[in-house]
Amino acid sequence: VLVFSNKDFGIGESIDVTPFAMFVREDGDHKVISRDETFPLEKWKDISLVERELLLEFFGYKSKIKEIVEKNKTEEYITLNSQ
């Protein structure tokens, strides 16, 4: 899970997040994009263009990103895959 936050965290620290988007990748290693309470994002387009391009380049390097899904489909994916 990729987390947008204004806080510093320690390795392995557990926090509450709100997922709002997900990269659906060809290799099946999808990437959930979330935020904590310090970062006011609600959808993929709320991320600056520069940051979106950086994320797409980084997470699409190893495996092609087939699509970017918004909050409802992301939450559905999490529910189906966390049982």
Side-chain angles (χ1 to χ4, degrees):
V1 176
L2 172 67
V3 179
F4 281 86
S5 177
N6 287 312
K7 293 181 179 180
D8 292 328
F9 298 103
I11 295 172
E13 188 172 343
S14 184
I15 62 168
D16 290 323
V17 297
T18 301
F20 63 89
M22 181 174 65
F23 294 146
V24 177
R25 296 181 0 151
E26 282 186 348
D27 65 358
D29 186 16
H30 308 322
K31 304 299 180 190
V32 173
I33 305 166
S34 63
R35 63 165 182 83
D36 71 6
E37 75 281 355
T38 69
F39 223 96
L41 299 171
E42 295 298 324
K43 58 186 182 294
W44 171 247
K45 296 273 181 172
D46 290 343
I47 302 170
S48 74
L49 179 59
V50 170
E51 289 176 313
R52 289 195 318 255
E53 289 174 347
L54 179 65
L55 291 169
L56 289 168
E57 182 179 333
F58 183 81
F59 288 104
Y61 177 76
K62 180 180 172 188
S63 179
K64 182 180 176 186
I65 296 171
K66 297 192 308 186
E67 67 177 317
I68 301 164
V69 298
E70 293 292 344
K71 186 174 185 169
N72 290 345
K73 286 189 177 183
T74 301
E75 289 174 339
E76 186 178 301
Y77 172 83
I78 292 167
T79 300
L80 291 172
N81 290 281
S82 63
Q83 298 174 359

